[in-house]
Amino acid sequence: MPKSHKIVPTRIVIYAKDVMNITGRSERTSRKILQQIRQATGKKRGDMITVLEFCQHTGIDQHLVTDFLL
């Protein structure tokens, strides 16, 4: 396959920068949101947060978030 026709994979992990762009919140608040999700899901510090977990926590439709990340 030529390099110009790369398939862009859908990400399943969400980062603080993504939360900032989606919600319009500051970096600090975005990190707090991710930390709250980790605590609610029983994950440890540094564990990845999935788009699905973010959507369940915030109530934002998953299709909106995945379209935003593309």
Side-chain angles (χ1 to χ4, degrees), residues 7-70:
I7 298 174
V8 178
T10 305
R11 281 196 294 144
I12 59 170
V13 175
I14 194 161
Y15 298 98
K17 190 75 164 181
D18 299 323
V19 177
M20 288 172 58
N21 292 330
I22 292 167
T23 64
R25 302 281 176 98
S26 68
E27 181 177 2
R28 183 177 175 99
T29 303
S30 298
R31 290 184 185 280
K32 281 185 178 181
I33 291 169
L34 293 177
Q35 183 58 35
Q36 290 171 352
I37 297 170
R38 278 189 199 91
Q39 289 175 347
T41 57
K43 292 188 173 191
K44 296 178 184 174
R45 182 179 180 196
D47 287 350
M48 301 286 185
I49 301 298
T50 66
V51 171
L52 179 60
E53 291 167 336
F54 173 77
C55 292
Q56 289 173 342
H57 182 79
T58 61
I60 300 173
D61 185 48
Q62 186 174 358
H63 295 293
L64 292 173
V65 174
T66 52
D67 289 346
F68 188 87
L69 294 176
L70 293 178

